[in-house]
Amino acid sequence: MSVSHSSRLNKLVREQYMRLPQDGLVQVTYVWIDGSGEGVRCKSRTLDKEPKSIEDVPEWNFDGSSTAQAEGSNSDMFLVPVRMFRDPFCLDPNKLVLCEVLKYNRKPAETNLRHTCKKVMDLVKDSHPWFGMEQEYTLLGINGHPYGWPDNGFPGPQGPYYCGVGADKVYGRDIVESHYKACLYAGVKICGTNAEVMPSQWEFQVGPCEGIEMGDHLWMARFILHRVCEDFGVVATLDPKPMTGNWNGAGCHTNYSTEEMRKEGGLKHIEAAIEKLSKRHDYHICVYDPRGGRDNSRRLTGHHETSNIFEFSAGVANRGASIRIPRQVGQDGCGYFEDRRPAATPMRSLRPS
């Protein structure tokens, strides 16, 4: 197996130091999105006491010229704490803190899409928008080849791997279960996980979350995933089509509802929302991956449980449609709908439709 050198270090030696007392001091790890809009960065500092709320965590700064977010001549960027989690790596009382990034003039950095998103969520807060997001990802060896695949070949065709059990059907379950437990410990609203259709591909679900909380919990779940994979010496890629050929891609299916949709008779509100989405299909495709649709074009082919990127469609229990209405929702006449178009990679924008 192709794993990183650092994963082969003696972890028992590390545990000797991790058990040392902190004498009331607290380690806080600041997490932010870098200039790619896809990667996460982090750094840590010591606080004199355990923060009880996000207001207790001070702003900080970093060198934006080293994260593709600033010029070297004016490189200081501000880290503004927005949500706090327990630290599953250093354990209590230490914290993980998700941050927004501001430029030198206190304006949002170009990749700080949370700033605009929160304004939108505040405008529609009376609708109580709920989100549940299904983050697919693929485990790779350090050489970029899917973890567990033959070094010079391919596994058997898709079919036995989805929700599979057994050493010949799933690869990397230790990583997946470690990530799940770490998220639960941290307070991330993770609600499930399963092996996906392509071997070495997995999915975790986050939600239901209301408003801006959705993005915060999803991004922290992604950060924790990358950190867990770092410990195991492998890589988690969110590429929407990591392997060409007859293999499924990776998406971030988004389940959505408002209070009206969840009430009796809510199906008519779901159908009205789908009608609005149909009129802005091209725009949404451009923002459903960070490269204006180019990433998703490799995935949304009309095959492998996807819709065609050039056509909008909707249907009950149809996983080949742009928008799926779950069968139970169709029967109950209320609930939610699933947008199956977003790529596994982070979105380019979150502007209102």
Side-chain angles (χ1 to χ4, degrees), residues 18-308:
M18 296 304 290
R19 289 195 295 267
L20 294 175
Q22 298 181 189
D23 296 328
L25 300 176
V26 177
Q27 182 177 332
V28 177
T29 299
Y30 290 58
V31 179
W32 72 96
I33 301 166
D34 68 16
S36 70
E38 302 174 61
V40 284
R41 308 286 181 115
C42 70
K43 66 176 188 172
S44 302
R45 70 185 300 179
T46 303
L47 297 186
D48 293 335
K49 59 182 180 180
E50 181 181 359
K52 300 301 182 182
S53 68
I54 197 66
E55 289 75 24
D56 295 333
V57 183
E59 289 189 12
W60 206 10
N61 58 74
F62 69 97
D63 171 17
S65 68
S66 298
T67 61
Q69 290 172 292
E71 298 289 338
S73 59
N74 191 13
S75 63
D76 281 3
M77 308 285 283
F78 295 103
L79 290 172
V80 181
V82 292
R83 197 168 299 271
M84 185 168 63
F85 300 84
R86 297 168 71 194
D87 188 337
F89 306 104
C90 297
L91 306 183
D92 288 339
N94 304 302
K95 306 297 182 185
L96 300 177
V97 174
L98 186 70
C99 300
E100 284 194 22
V101 176
L102 302 183
K103 296 187 288 188
Y104 70 95
N105 55 8
R106 305 290 298 183
K107 292 184 178 180
E110 282 70 20
T111 53
N112 180 1
L113 304 179
R114 185 188 187 278
H115 186 81
T116 304
C117 183
K118 187 176 186 306
K119 289 183 178 180
V120 174
M121 294 303 166
D122 288 344
L123 287 173
V124 299
K125 64 181 180 181
D126 291 341
S127 298
H128 299 288
W130 287 6
F131 298 86
M133 299 185 79
E134 307 169 26
Q135 177 68 71
E136 294 178 332
Y137 62 94
T138 307
L139 296 176
L140 306 178
I142 204 71
N143 60 357
H145 195 60
Y147 182 77
W149 285 32
D151 289 338
N152 298 303
F154 300 90
Q158 296 184 151
Y161 310 110
Y162 172 70
C163 296
V165 178
D168 58 340
K169 296 181 178 66
V170 294
Y171 311 120
R173 192 186 295 276
D174 286 350
I175 299 167
V176 174
E177 292 184 342
S178 297
H179 172 250
Y180 201 151
K181 281 295 187 73
C183 284
L184 289 174
Y185 181 93
V188 170
K189 291 188 176 181
I190 189 169
C191 60
T193 189
N194 59 268
E196 269 301 333
V197 177
M198 186 180 84
S200 298
Q201 188 182 81
W202 294 82
E203 172 185 300
F204 65 86
Q205 302 93 33
V206 176
C209 295
E210 185 165 326
I212 196 65
E213 181 184 51
M214 181 69 251
D216 293 348
H217 282 252
L218 181 63
W219 270 106
M220 188 53 69
R222 286 169 173 165
F223 169 78
I224 292 173
L225 174 65
H226 291 307
R227 278 286 282 104
V228 168
C229 285
E230 182 183 322
D231 284 344
F232 282 93
V234 300
V235 175
T237 179
L238 305 185
D239 189 297
K241 187 71 174 180
M243 297 300 292
T244 58
N246 195 25
W247 305 104
N248 274 34
C252 191
H253 303 154
T254 301
N255 302 279
Y256 176 77
S257 68
T258 61
E259 190 171 47
E260 285 183 325
M261 296 176 187
R262 297 187 292 271
K263 290 181 177 178
E264 184 176 352
L267 186 59
K268 65 181 180 182
H269 297 288
I270 292 173
E271 292 171 341
I274 293 173
E275 176 63 22
K276 290 181 179 179
L277 288 171
S278 72
K279 299 182 185 304
R280 304 206 69 191
H281 175 67
D282 291 343
Y283 170 78
H284 292 148
I285 288 297
C286 287
V287 300
Y288 277 178
D289 76 54
R291 292 174 180 79
R294 293 193 298 275
D295 279 349
N296 234 351
S297 65
R298 295 182 282 121
R299 167 181 163 260
L300 296 179
T301 61
H303 304 289
H304 305 111
E305 301 182 63
T306 69
S307 58
N308 188 303

